[in-house]
Amino acid sequence: MITSAKNPSRQIRECTAYAEKNDITIVKHYIDRAISAKTDNRPQFQQMIKDSDKKLFDIVLVWKLDRFARNRYDSARYKTQLKKNGVKLMSLRRSSPRGQRGIILESVLEAMQNTTLPTLPKRLSVDRQRTS
């Protein structure tokens, strides 16, 4: 299980409850407190990737996909590495369909995470100018 929230207790509770309900054994929590998933420079995240190389687990459970990565390059890179290591990435909040539909949906969600938040203030200021 991985999280990068400032206060991850709710995420941990929900992920733990999901794991118990679905007979998933939690091997380790990888928690980078107050470090944004916009970067892969997160000690626990990198440890999780190294542990996947060692085949210590076969599922990475995240509360939301943006807790895994908010950068499309990082997301693709590390999902590929997990897949190569036989590890499935699962999200509680956003479950994607399998196959090509799931890949497309995840790509769209990742693109929205990368573009919506940083450009929002610019859009608001442009909209204010237009209505004045």
Side-chain angles (χ1 to χ4, degrees):
M1 178 183 333
I2 187 165
T3 183
S4 60
K6 290 180 183 175
N7 183 3
S9 57
R10 175 180 170 209
Q11 295 175 26
I12 292 169
R13 270 193 320 272
E14 289 184 24
C15 286
T16 301
Y18 177 88
E20 288 173 359
K21 182 179 175 183
N22 291 282
D23 295 321
I24 298 170
T25 301
I26 297 175
V27 175
K28 183 175 179 180
H29 295 266
Y30 298 92
I31 302 170
D32 288 299
R33 294 182 193 277
I35 301 175
S36 173
K38 290 180 183 178
T39 176
D40 67 345
N41 188 19
R42 296 177 280 155
Q44 288 294 299
F45 180 83
Q46 289 301 322
Q47 186 61 53
M48 182 265 307
I49 295 298
K50 288 176 188 173
D51 289 350
S52 79
D53 289 337
K54 298 174 190 173
K55 314 287 190 219
L56 297 181
F57 48 81
D58 55 6
I59 295 173
V60 170
L61 181 61
V62 295
W63 186 67
K64 265 176 62 177
L65 288 174
D66 67 1
R67 299 299 178 237
F68 181 75
R70 288 187 180 218
N71 173 301
R72 290 180 70 201
Y73 171 78
D74 289 344
S75 180
R77 175 182 171 196
Y78 292 110
K79 283 179 185 177
T80 299
Q81 189 167 352
L82 290 177
K83 187 175 181 178
K84 181 183 87 176
N85 293 334
V87 177
K88 179 180 178 182
L89 178 63
M90 293 177 60
S91 169
L92 251 59
R93 291 288 172 177
R94 291 239 168 101
S95 58
S96 299
R98 292 186 180 165
Q100 289 183 345
R101 287 184 180 176
I103 292 168
I104 292 169
L105 179 58
E106 280 187 17
S107 296
V108 169
L109 293 172
E110 288 168 357
M112 288 172 56
Q113 291 171 132
N114 283 322
T115 58
T116 304
L117 294 176
T119 60
L120 186 59
K122 290 178 186 174
R123 280 196 230 144
L124 290 175
S125 62
V126 170
D127 289 342
R128 283 189 198 126
Q129 290 172 359
R130 288 182 186 158
T131 58
S132 300

